[in-house]
Amino acid sequence: MKQYQVGIIGATGMVGQRFATLLENHPWFKVTALAASSRSAGKTYEEAIGSRWAMEAPIPASMKDMIVYDASEDVETIAGMVDFVFCAVDMKKDEIRALEEKYAKAECPVVSNNSAHRSTPDVPMIIPEINADHAKVIPAQRARLGTKRGFIAVKSNCSLQSYVPAIHPLMDLGVTKVLACTYQAISGAGKTFERWPEMVDNVIPYIGGEEEKSEQEPMKIWGEVVDGKIVNATSPSITAQCLRVACSDGHMAAVFASFDKKISMEEIKERWVTYRGRAQELDLPSAPKQFLHYFEEDNRPQTKLDRNLENGMAVSIGRLRPDSQYDIKFICLSHNTLRGAAGGAVLAAELLAAEGYMD
């Protein structure tokens, strides 16, 4: 695989920091540009971060002395330095949409962690193990934008990346309805306990916009490309409740589901542990060797024990059993800033590079 020069737009935030650590020794991608708000522009990355570095690993030595660019004002400069960018900016949605299109129109592909373009019909929202084929909408998007190389691809919200992968291998059974209650770590809000002391020993039963994303985004993931647009699926019916809990990392979900067809619990477990997607077929650098892991123990998965499974890129499942109101119920867990955010975006970029969309 060729080497790609990449930029991180929004490099000083928590997801941007995670991008930096994931890309430090990446075999395909080398960071050559960092950008953030005008407050950080002109400073070294280390100076711009200051006391806000939130990762366990130190600031990558190859990046700490890099001068940070202005994400909005230096688009043409950055586009000339890189093959594509990762985007994780903290701005209003309409501003993000405009900024990402500005990079794309500068012939710089964008792989975004942001939600601004998730509902845009010709922007693929990719989980590489589930809907890698949605990348084929990119030529239609390029035609709309008037670009040759530039495009935007996004990853889905972190709240659904534990239960959608678990439901996906069962879709041919005719999934009719899903109830998901998610218990989401504070890093999903870009926080640490030091910066959010009121979360210690606490649960907050509301996360703005999260339940809508959890219910609506799977419909796009399970949709199909028709005439240059992604047409959303119409089933299953999903209802969700999303709670913020006192964990540093890791989103857990309690899931209930019903089906048209019935199979045994053992057959469901077998489907989970043997499931392979395009990321495994291509042996992408960030892909887990086994996407879905099932734990037979009645007290697993646990956030602290299992969120880092396969470098935080695998999904853990447990406690599968029949339910009195739905057909089945189970627990699942994913790492929200790895699989759910920066890691998922890096994996999507690897897929797009391997399939030739970055060339």
Side-chain angles (χ1 to χ4, degrees):
M1 176 59 66
K2 65 172 281 189
Q3 298 295 300
Y4 294 87
Q5 296 184 326
V6 305
I8 304 173
I9 312 303
T12 57
M14 182 172 282
V15 176
Q17 294 176 28
R18 182 66 80 180
F19 273 124
T21 60
L22 290 175
L23 295 170
E24 182 179 13
N25 297 305
H26 195 279
W28 297 359
F29 306 151
K30 180 182 179 182
V31 176
T32 56
L34 300 171
S37 70
S38 58
R39 296 188 304 274
S40 298
K43 299 177 182 178
T44 67
Y45 188 43
E46 189 172 37
E47 290 169 342
I49 291 285
S51 62
R52 294 180 294 119
W53 184 255
M55 301 294 106
E56 291 183 7
I59 297 176
S62 60
M63 299 178 212
K64 68 178 184 178
D65 294 325
M66 291 176 64
I67 300 300
V68 177
Y69 288 92
D70 187 314
S72 299
E73 298 299 322
D74 295 327
V75 173
E76 294 292 339
T77 299
I78 295 166
M81 298 171 62
V82 301
D83 295 305
F84 68 92
V85 296
F86 293 102
C87 189
V89 294
D90 183 10
M91 300 165 66
K92 295 177 181 178
K93 272 194 178 183
D94 57 342
E95 294 173 344
I96 295 172
R97 276 193 289 268
L99 182 66
E100 292 180 345
E101 287 204 1
K102 192 174 180 181
Y103 276 94
K105 289 178 178 178
E107 299 295 357
C108 181
V110 178
V111 180
S112 178
N113 185 76
N114 301 109
S115 64
H117 273 292
R118 289 181 191 158
S119 61
T120 305
D122 60 8
V123 172
M125 181 167 63
I126 294 175
I127 298 177
E129 289 88 350
I130 295 176
N131 64 337
D133 63 311
H134 281 196
K136 66 187 179 185
V137 79
I138 288 172
Q141 184 195 147
R142 284 173 168 157
R144 173 176 64 84
L145 295 174
T147 62
K148 293 181 179 179
R149 286 191 69 249
F151 67 87
I152 302 162
V154 298
K155 53 152 287 297
S156 62
N157 195 55
C158 54
S159 65
L160 55 86
Q161 296 212 33
S162 57
Y163 66 85
V164 166
I167 293 291
H168 184 69
L170 311 176
M171 287 292 284
D172 67 314
L173 300 174
V175 186
T176 57
K177 58 181 180 176
V178 174
L179 164 63
C181 295
T182 63
Y183 306 89
Q184 302 183 203
I186 64 170
S187 57
K191 303 284 190 178
T192 62
F193 286 117
E194 291 75 20
R195 303 210 308 264
W196 201 6
E198 61 265 40
M199 268 308 304
V200 175
D201 192 31
N202 199 15
V203 173
I204 297 176
Y206 173 73
I207 307 172
E210 205 77 356
E211 289 163 1
E212 294 83 355
K213 294 172 187 175
S214 296
E215 294 170 357
Q216 295 165 11
E217 289 186 14
M219 298 300 100
K220 183 171 183 178
I221 293 166
W222 285 321
E224 59 179 337
V225 177
V226 179
D227 297 330
K229 293 182 179 180
I230 298 166
V231 178
N232 288 4
T234 56
S235 63
S237 171
I238 300 175
T239 185
Q241 288 203 109
C242 300
L243 291 74
R244 187 73 70 195
V245 297
C247 296
S248 57
D249 296 295
H251 287 359
M252 184 173 280
V255 184
F256 303 75
S258 289
F259 310 89
D260 285 329
K261 302 174 186 176
K262 305 297 186 272
I263 61 172
S264 71
M265 300 295 133
E266 290 307 313
E267 288 176 298
I268 292 174
K269 293 176 190 177
E270 179 69 14
R271 286 186 179 214
W272 281 336
V273 299
T274 59
Y275 181 79
R276 288 170 54 84
R278 187 64 174 152
Q280 285 71 43
E281 292 172 4
L282 293 170
D283 194 22
L284 299 176
S286 299
K289 298 301 181 187
Q290 182 177 325
F291 184 32
L292 308 173
H293 292 247
Y294 187 80
F295 289 90
E296 292 288 352
E297 299 93 329
D298 61 9
N299 64 347
R300 302 283 287 278
Q302 291 183 28
T303 300
K304 199 169 185 178
L305 294 178
D306 302 312
R307 61 190 170 200
N308 290 315
L309 186 65
E310 295 213 42
N311 298 313
M313 293 298 289
V315 174
S316 304
I317 312 171
R319 300 203 67 211
L320 174 67
R321 57 214 190 279
D323 182 66
S324 60
Q325 306 298 314
Y326 289 72
D327 289 332
I328 64 169
K329 55 188 173 185
F330 58 91
I331 302 295
C332 46
L333 170 73
S334 61
H335 196 301
N336 57 296
T337 68
L338 289 170
R339 166 56 71 169
V346 171
L347 184 62
E350 292 170 357
L351 171 75
L352 293 166
E355 303 282 26
Y357 289 98
M358 297 300 192
D359 298 328

